[in-house]
Amino acid sequence: MCGIAGILSAARTVNAGAVQAMTGLMAHRGPDGAGLWENPNGRLVLGHRRLAIIDPSPASAQPFVAGSIVLTFNGEIYNYREIRAELITRGHVFATEGDAEIIVAAWRQWGEACVEFFNGMFAFALWDEDRNLLFCARDRFGEKPFLYVEGDGFFAFASEYKALLTLDGVSAAVEDGRLARFFVAPADGLDRDERTLFPAIRQVPPAQVMIVDGRTLERRSACYWTGRPARKGRRPSLPEAAFAFRDLLADAVRLRLRSDVPVGSCLSGGLDSSAIVCLARRELGESTPYHTFSGRFPGTSADEGPYMDAVAAATHPVRHEVEPKPENLLAELAQFSWANELPVDSASQYAQYCVFRLARQNGVKVLLDGQGADEIMGGYEQYFSAYLRGGGTDSPLIHSRYGDALTQVQPWHTRLPPGLRRLLARTVHKGSDISFGLTGDVRIERRPPPANLHEALCRDSLDGFLGTLLRYGDRNSMAHSVEVRLPFTDHRILEFVQGLPVEYLMGDGETKRLLRTAMDGILPDMVRLRWRKHGFVPPQVAWLHQTLLPAVEQAVEESSLSPLWDRAWWRSAIRRFRAGDTSQAAGLWKLLACESWRVHFLAAMASRHKFQPLL
């Protein structure tokens, strides 16, 4: 896990000092070393910050040079040993034990198709001097970032926005409409297409490669994976599918335990992280110490302690716990906003930030986590609508366990034009839609509802909020120099799930039915058969009442309040919250997060020295 950066020019000399400044701003991503490589004509400089995980020897330091090929790489190729064995049979010889050299050899063997062999999370840039091209690639789900700009005579890339924004000529202007749409409909995300919140900065979308011509800087992109289901054979029974899935998930965990430094797990009281801890224990055996890291909210309904205790009793980990508190969030809001680079949609991301820091404080550099299972396997109760729409069998259990998922009736006023809805809400002082607090109309292009469950899961996994959640995970973990690995985003799992009948996923009123069935006898039933667990969410209402509301009030009254927000509406929302209208909590948090980001990221970047990318 690392930070990567580089600048390529077709005709002029690159300022190596600019690349060094870019990687310096990302030192948190790689505190174990720094590297810089410049090609002989001075028209390409690659930079790297290293977090040593696999083969921490100097031989695997980056940028990794192998003859005419140079690589700067962020992430891990989990199946590097299997690929290495295959490449050895094809005549390749290796000088290191790491995965960076595997990427170089795979490029030599298979060219652009090399990424199809990789099981991992990655973003890399590979310079091929003989072909005079820069080959850039990003993993299938977009776990690792790849941001870039096309400047006047140069192409620059980096792992984080702050690195690119330090370049002269790269504007930090924000597309306010896109920002507003994110707050109104966060499920649409900011992370799935080429555009970003900054018009000057673009990104390589997940599951894409991009070739940059070294002579002309012309770009060519291609998608290498779409999540299509694995080839179908005989339809398995549910027990057979669950058995096969358990082996597949266990293998995903096994691959992600590969490391030359300590590995642990996040542990909440939910099905996903608990399943990973149980499978990791089976893989490691009882004698190997295994550390888990949890966030607790004692004395509130958000506390997951009893469920964590049940998993711990079955797996005997070395437990570590932290209690995120609102006063600490307020004290750390500047650092938290700087680390995340974009506004944060929920206070739950601060809790995640605290758990990752706890791991680093205890000497664990790699964590397994359960992110992605809800979107890939049908973990949200709202998926029951798509399940039934596509022919899934109705069941009384759906209505008894998840009745709200099917009884939500669209109020008449939601069908009014946005401007009229806003006027009505302001007149009667009701409503919690954050769009009411915006100064202008925010037009959301509503996609038609998914035709079936598989479409809903594929959409959310590959073109929905999961991408934003992965960005949060990347920034929050990297802020503390911790690598997070996600077994459920093993691409084989999505392909497998997409090929199964929907009854195996949400039949009999069960979310994530396949996972629950597969974990029978492995995961304590107290967790396995738990219904209506809603993520790792702090008591946000209590946090506002206890500590955060004065900060929101201060932000609303600041003369520098973003023109995005209608000050009068938010004054009213604060009054209503104080009077007991807790539906305002989510909006109040979003305003605080946005204004903190403007002050602690945008303004902080504006005050920094800019570097000329070219000499």
Side-chain angles (χ1 to χ4, degrees):
M1 192 58 52
C2 310
I4 63 173
I7 301 176
L8 171 66
S9 177
R12 295 175 57 187
T13 301
V14 171
N15 180 5
V19 178
Q20 193 165 25
M22 293 165 71
T23 57
L25 276 174
M26 299 186 294
H28 50 280
R29 299 187 74 93
D32 297 334
L36 207 66
W37 178 87
E38 183 176 356
N39 72 346
N41 63 21
R43 293 175 186 167
L44 171 65
V45 177
L46 300 178
H48 190 264
R49 292 292 314 200
R50 187 181 192 192
L51 181 63
I53 302 293
I54 293 176
D55 188 10
S57 70
S60 288
Q62 296 185 47
F64 184 83
V65 182
S68 61
I69 295 176
V70 187
L71 172 75
T72 185
F73 162 47
N74 172 23
E76 303 289 357
I77 307 299
Y78 302 124
N79 63 335
Y80 72 100
R81 293 176 185 170
E82 290 78 7
I83 297 174
R84 177 192 177 100
E86 169 66 20
L87 290 168
I88 287 174
T89 67
R90 295 172 180 265
H92 294 265
V93 178
F94 295 92
T96 74
E97 298 297 322
D99 51 351
E101 190 175 13
I102 299 300
I103 295 176
V104 173
W107 165 257
R108 285 176 169 150
Q109 182 65 44
W110 296 300
E112 293 180 38
C114 65
V115 291
E116 299 175 26
F117 293 82
F118 299 155
N119 183 335
M121 55 176 180
F122 54 84
F124 64 79
L126 180 150
W127 173 250
D128 190 321
E129 184 72 31
D130 293 339
R131 303 185 195 183
N132 202 8
L133 61 82
L134 190 70
F135 177 61
C136 310
R138 194 173 179 202
D139 66 74
R140 292 169 176 83
F141 286 92
E143 293 181 57
K144 293 296 104 186
F146 193 105
L147 304 164
Y148 68 91
V149 299
E150 294 178 291
D152 184 11
F154 71 91
F155 170 89
F157 67 89
S159 297
E160 295 191 357
Y161 289 102
K162 57 178 68 78
L164 293 171
L165 291 173
T166 199
L167 297 177
D168 190 52
V170 179
S171 171
V174 172
E175 186 181 335
D176 282 340
R178 191 162 169 83
L179 174 60
R181 286 193 297 275
F182 169 69
F183 281 128
V184 174
D188 289 345
L190 290 171
D191 299 273
R192 310 313 295 176
D193 58 26
E194 287 192 351
R195 296 180 302 154
T196 74
L197 195 60
F198 302 96
I201 300 177
R202 302 182 79 80
Q203 63 188 341
V204 174
Q208 286 205 11
V209 298
M210 181 172 68
I211 299 282
V212 184
D213 189 299
R215 300 177 184 85
T216 65
L217 302 186
E218 292 180 353
R219 297 182 297 108
R220 173 175 59 83
S221 299
C223 177
Y224 65 88
W225 184 76
T226 60
R228 290 187 183 131
R231 180 178 299 175
K232 293 182 179 179
R234 181 185 67 85
R235 171 175 162 171
S237 65
L238 176 58
E240 289 172 333
F243 183 82
F245 172 76
R246 184 175 64 194
D247 283 350
L248 180 56
L249 180 59
D251 190 60
V253 170
R254 178 185 66 84
L255 290 177
R256 284 156 181 79
L257 286 171
R258 288 177 171 174
S259 172
D260 293 321
V261 299
V263 179
S265 277
C266 296
L267 175 61
S268 72
L271 180 61
D272 311 329
S273 65
S274 299
I276 289 169
V277 171
C278 290
L279 291 172
R281 172 52 74 203
R282 286 165 64 95
E283 175 67 24
L284 295 170
E286 288 292 333
S287 61
T288 301
Y290 194 65
H291 295 252
T292 61
F293 300 87
S294 306
R296 297 286 304 276
F297 308 102
T300 75
S301 60
D303 191 59
E304 301 278 295
Y307 301 97
M308 298 175 192
D309 293 343
V311 176
T315 58
H316 313 294
V318 181
R319 299 178 69 182
H320 307 270
E321 296 179 350
V322 63
E323 182 184 347
K325 295 182 178 180
E327 57 267 29
N328 295 337
L329 167 57
L330 203 57
E332 298 179 320
L333 203 50
Q335 303 97 295
F336 179 62
S337 300
W338 175 258
N340 270 277
E341 300 197 294
L342 296 180
V344 174
D345 181 64
S346 165
S348 64
Q349 303 312 323
Y350 176 69
Q352 182 188 67
Y353 179 88
C354 293
V355 170
F356 293 153
R357 175 169 53 197
L358 180 66
R360 188 61 179 186
Q361 290 170 342
N362 285 275
V364 174
K365 294 173 70 173
V366 180
L367 285 180
L368 272 57
D369 197 9
Q371 193 72 65
D374 287 322
E375 295 81 4
I376 292 169
M377 305 197 65
Y380 299 131
E381 61 189 67
Q382 58 263 35
Y383 288 142
F384 279 117
S385 295
Y387 164 76
L388 295 175
R389 192 181 303 119
T393 303
D394 203 350
S395 164
L397 291 174
I398 299 177
H399 300 269
S400 62
R401 292 172 180 165
Y402 302 103
D404 293 347
L406 302 179
T407 59
Q408 295 174 353
V409 178
Q410 189 179 45
W412 63 269
H413 57 77
T414 63
R415 296 188 290 272
L416 296 176
L420 186 55
R421 287 187 67 220
R422 183 180 295 107
L423 178 60
L424 179 64
R426 291 175 178 173
T427 300
V428 301
H429 301 288
K430 289 188 177 181
S432 59
D433 190 330
I434 195 173
S435 67
F436 298 155
L438 298 171
T439 54
D441 286 346
V442 179
R443 304 197 179 278
I444 305 295
E445 293 184 9
R446 301 288 184 183
R447 293 184 287 187
N452 53 57
L453 179 61
H454 282 310
E455 183 181 332
L457 299 182
C458 201
R459 178 188 291 185
D460 281 1
S461 298
L462 304 179
D463 193 25
F465 195 45
L466 179 57
T468 301
L469 295 177
L470 295 177
R471 168 166 54 80
Y472 292 150
D474 172 78
R475 301 306 198 275
N476 285 327
S477 61
M478 287 287 93
H480 306 297
S481 307
V482 170
E483 175 176 295
V484 176
R485 300 175 174 180
L486 308 176
F488 285 104
T489 59
D490 188 306
H491 65 279
R492 299 172 298 170
I493 289 179
L494 179 64
E495 294 168 354
F496 182 79
V497 167
Q498 285 285 308
L500 295 176
V502 294
E503 299 294 337
Y504 293 6
L505 306 180
M506 298 191 79
D508 278 351
E510 296 185 28
T511 56
K512 289 182 283 199
R513 185 186 190 190
L514 182 67
L515 178 58
R516 295 179 194 274
T517 306
M519 295 304 294
D520 188 9
I522 299 174
L523 183 64
D525 281 352
M526 179 181 180
V527 176
R528 187 176 71 88
L529 302 179
R530 182 184 180 192
W531 315 113
R532 306 207 71 173
K533 199 278 187 183
H534 290 290
F536 179 37
V537 182
Q540 192 162 279
V541 171
W543 280 18
L544 280 162
H545 277 305
Q546 292 167 7
T547 307
L548 301 182
L549 196 57
V552 178
E553 291 176 306
Q554 181 179 346
V556 169
E557 298 305 326
E558 287 284 352
S559 60
S560 59
L561 180 70
S562 169
L564 194 70
W565 306 117
D566 182 288
R567 197 186 307 266
W569 168 264
W570 291 106
R571 287 171 174 162
S572 172
I574 291 170
R575 289 194 298 270
R576 290 165 57 194
F577 181 79
R578 287 195 180 279
D581 184 357
T582 58
S583 69
Q584 304 302 315
L588 295 174
W589 162 262
K590 290 180 181 183
L591 183 139
L592 177 62
C594 179
E595 294 308 292
S596 176
W597 165 70
R598 292 179 64 247
V599 171
H600 299 303
F601 184 77
L602 291 184
M605 283 304 313
S607 68
R608 285 183 169 268
H609 175 72
K610 290 274 195 174
F611 292 84
Q612 292 291 337
L614 304 177
L615 297 176

